Amino acid sequence: MSLKSTAMNITAPVIPAHWQIRAVHRFLKIKNTLFKGPYVPTFIESPLPEVDTLAIEDIDVSSPFLFRQKKWQSYFKRLRDECPVHYQKNSPFGPFWSITRYDDIVFVDKHHDLFSAEPIITLGRTPEGLEIETFIAMDPPKHDEQRKAVQNVVAPKNLKEMEGLIRQRTREVLDELPIGQPFDWVKTVSIELTARMLATLLDFPYELRHKLVYWSDVSTASPETTGGRVDSDEIFAAAADAGKHFVKLWHDKAAQKAAGQEAGFDLISLMQANEETKDMVKRPMEFMGNLTLLIVGGNDTTRNSMTGGVLALNQFPDEFTKLKENPALIPNMVSEIIRWQTPLAYMRRIAKQDVELNGQTIRKGDKVVMWYASGNRDERKIDNPDVFMIDRKGARNHLSFGFGVHRCMGNRLAELQLRILWEELLQRFDNIEVLNEPECVQSNFVRGYSKMMVKLTARKNDKPDKVSP
Amino acid sequence: MASVTIIEFGGTEHEVEIEAGKSLMQIAVDNSIPGIDADCGGACACGTCHVIVSSEWFAKTGSTSDEEDMMLGMTPERADTSRLACQIEASEALDGLVVQLPEFQM
């Protein structure tokens, strides 16, 4: 634990978290004007070269424009074929190894004894002063304790309780959609549905739910972390605002509990009921870390799969026909969407010792990036990997959730949300037409869309319902 | 015919033939038994082929490796005789084995 984190834990009972975050921000601003602060890269977009014009050692897949410029498939294919364990020594994020084949990624993901998730799982570092503590970036045994304390909020048993609520909220959003008129699917459906879900999981004030989305978006979008566009002033302001609201939520929940109200199934109530985490509010960086992890985990991922699925069915229209003829394919399609989209491109590790992998020697201390987006398109493992196939055999065997102890905790919730969405969409619409190329976010981590205009065609009511939830 | 019995959470029983050398997970998947997801395809890396072995059979299914133990540790439904089916190698010696499936795989 860092000195700053320890100091914050000691002062937490007397100084509110958001004041502490602001104080750290002010201190760093002064410090960095007096002394040179840590290097923060800047990214100005220009067309990336075609991959076949580059020497293999010059290929840099850390560019935050690779996905947006649709170059990621050719870049990663070349690495998979020619140099599957690839070293880039001069990236804006420092030197790093890329692991690009499916089997090698599973090897790295499984071997937490060889590859550490600490201190962070993105290519770059977190902004100075905001080094939150979260179990996705902890190794066993601490990881295991923290994960167990919160995982029940998204465990299947809890989801069974929530399915009806998720369906009701999905219906509310879909029933309001305009027919035959262009609208932005990202804002109106994907963001709205994930915001409602996050507010439900946290029992967060419903009318403030868009704050959760904003905080989550901002927290993964700094240039030094993922090549994004949000500067540290904005991130600090968001962190302070999030800290204020989350601490208040904690105390409100504690007061309700003290007043004898029955504890809910929300994250904070579960934390307060667990011996390991019942005082977490006194450890602000850990508390903020866990909440940030949950909102980030439940935000970009599902949102972009909700958009990606519509896009995929537009690029492969025969699959849409197949789906309408056989809605029983929805669960399999959900896995295929998550593979095809791979909403988070990678997870990062640090080698704990020298490791030989596919002919290369990774040295102790080196950064190692497992490119799930590449492994999910590995021809060695997946037939016609660039094709979206809703009845794909073995669709569940994708890498998007990761493998090993850090495997996505919310995977069942994600699948449930997407399944319900598609069940409800098929009930209402015959077509969801994508009108223009979607706009993609600037990031090497989040493979996401910021805007996608669509037009709906209502379903003709001459067919019997094939999906009866 | 040597066989194993896989009992779904709801109580539905499936008796399937043992194919020596395959894993119990593979046999379940080959026979389309619902309730075994096997997301990682047998790499002991996802925990979604969790089975609960009847206690009299537990010792005969072999030992649980550290890596299997860690994956099992992630499921709240873990029981004393939990195993990952991908780590149980089927053989004639398992003729009569009975395993229960948990309510959820995660």
Side-chain angles (χ1 to χ4, degrees), chain A residues 73-106:
Chain A
Q73 282 164 285
S74 59
Y75 273 57
F76 282 117
K77 181 162 183 8
R78 180 144 178 236
L79 291 189
R80 283 196 305 273
D81 289 347
E82 291 178 28
C83 189
V85 176
H86 172 263
Y87 193 61
Q88 161 55 252
K89 59 181 181 202
N90 282 321
S91 94
F93 305 92
F96 70 96
W97 290 94
S98 283
I99 314 297
T100 59
R101 286 189 189 169
Y102 185 103
D103 286 340
D104 292 341
I105 291 169
V106 173

Side-chain angles (χ1 to χ4, degrees), chain A residues 61-351:
Chain A
V61 284
S62 76
S63 165
F65 308 114
L66 202 64
F67 174 62
R68 178 192 278 178
Q69 292 186 18
K70 298 193 171 60
K71 293 280 203 313
W72 65 278
Q73 282 164 285
S74 59
Y75 273 57
F76 282 117
K77 181 162 183 8
R78 180 144 178 236
L79 291 189
R80 283 196 305 273
D81 289 347
E82 291 178 28
C83 189
V85 176
H86 172 263
Y87 193 61
Q88 161 55 252
K89 59 181 181 202
N90 282 321
S91 94
F93 305 92
F96 70 96
W97 290 94
S98 283
I99 314 297
T100 59
R101 286 189 189 169
Y102 185 103
D103 286 340
D104 292 341
I105 291 169
V106 173
F107 176 84
V108 174
D109 229 352
K110 268 182 67 170
H111 285 91
H112 58 85
D113 50 332
L114 301 177
F115 300 97
S116 169
E118 298 176 4
I120 192 67
I121 50 71
T122 46
L123 240 165
R125 57 180 179 79
T126 34
E128 188 190 20
L130 285 174
E131 296 86 355
I132 50 174
E133 294 168 27
T134 141
F135 63 83
I136 198 175
M138 287 175 194
D139 295 330
K142 195 172 182 202
H143 158 273
D144 306 9
E145 291 160 19
Q146 296 230 339
R147 175 175 167 132
K148 274 178 199 159
V150 296
Q151 73 173 6
N152 282 343
V153 72
V154 287
K157 247 197 169 66
N158 212 19
L159 298 186
K160 219 165 82 174
E161 311 284 332
M162 290 195 298
E163 176 163 355
L165 190 58
I166 297 173
R167 191 176 296 280
Q168 180 199 325
R169 293 185 162 174
T170 305
R171 286 175 174 164
E172 284 163 13
V173 170
L174 299 189
D175 285 340
E176 295 296 313
L177 296 178
I179 303 289
Q181 283 171 32
F183 70 94
D184 180 9
W185 180 267
V186 173
K187 179 168 176 276
T188 321
V189 179
S190 307
I191 290 181
E192 190 52 46
L193 281 176
T194 35
R196 288 177 189 216
M197 193 64 243
L198 287 175
T200 307
L201 285 181
L202 290 173
D203 198 15
F204 190 78
Y206 205 55
E207 65 285 2
L208 298 179
R209 62 186 181 275
H210 292 285
K211 278 185 180 281
L212 297 171
V213 175
Y214 171 71
W215 297 333
S216 164
D217 284 353
V218 165
S219 70
T220 56
S222 56
E224 64 268 52
T225 310
T226 60
R229 303 170 62 152
V230 179
D231 69 20
S232 72
D233 287 351
E234 188 175 351
I235 296 178
F236 267 99
D241 193 34
K244 186 172 109 180
H245 282 85
F246 286 150
V247 170
K248 181 177 184 306
L249 186 65
W250 177 285
H251 292 306
D252 289 350
K253 286 271 156 205
Q256 286 165 13
K257 197 179 169 195
Q261 217 167 305
E262 203 183 327
F265 290 97
D266 60 280
L267 180 78
I268 304 246
S269 297
L270 290 176
M271 280 176 158
Q272 288 175 348
N274 183 299
E275 201 49 41
E276 302 288 327
T277 48
K278 71 177 171 30
D279 293 322
M280 196 179 274
V281 76
K282 294 179 188 163
R283 303 189 295 274
M285 290 316 250
E286 208 176 304
F287 177 58
M288 288 298 288
N290 274 304
L291 282 155
T292 307
L293 179 57
L294 194 89
I295 63 174
V296 173
N299 179 40
D300 279 318
T301 51
T302 315
R303 175 208 301 180
N304 292 315
S305 299
M306 286 176 169
T307 308
V310 173
L311 185 63
L313 286 171
N314 270 260
Q315 289 181 13
F316 298 89
D318 292 349
E319 298 299 295
F320 208 157
T321 311
K322 208 191 277 177
L323 174 67
K324 285 189 283 187
E325 282 166 4
N326 186 8
L329 287 171
I330 289 176
N332 202 70
M333 178 181 77
V334 163
S335 293
E336 177 69 346
I337 289 172
I338 296 167
R339 178 192 76 88
W340 191 84
Q341 181 59 36
T342 318
L344 296 181
Y346 64 83
M347 289 286 153
R348 181 197 101 176
R349 301 288 184 259
I350 302 270

Side-chain angles (χ1 to χ4, degrees), chain B residues 34-62:
Chain B
I36 296 258
D37 290 341
D39 288 0
C40 75
C44 193
C46 71
T48 65
C49 63
H50 177 201
V51 296
I52 299 152
V53 181
S54 59
S55 47
E56 64 271 28
W57 278 97
F58 183 63
K60 298 193 182 94
T61 60

Side-chain angles (χ1 to χ4, degrees), chain A residues 387-432:
Chain A
V387 176
F388 178 74
M389 220 185 288
I390 66 170
D391 49 359
R392 180 180 287 283
K393 197 163 174 284
R396 297 197 61 86
N397 300 148
H398 61 73
L399 293 168
S400 306
F401 292 137
F403 283 127
V405 294
H406 289 287
R407 183 169 166 79
C408 174
M409 182 177 96
N411 57 353
R412 300 299 164 175
L413 173 61
E415 290 170 351
L416 179 65
Q417 284 180 272
L418 290 166
R419 173 169 67 76
I420 290 175
L421 173 65
W422 281 99
E423 285 170 357
E424 296 297 327
L425 284 171
L426 286 190
Q427 297 271 326
R428 288 165 178 77
F429 310 115
D430 246 351
N431 196 15
I432 309 167

Side-chain angles (χ1 to χ4, degrees), chain B residues 4 6 22-29 51 85 88-90 97 99:
Chain B
V4 296
I6 301 173
K22 282 191 174 178
S23 72
L24 180 63
M25 178 279 281
Q26 198 56 53
I27 291 171
V29 168
V51 296
I88 300 176
E89 192 187 323
L97 171 74
V99 300

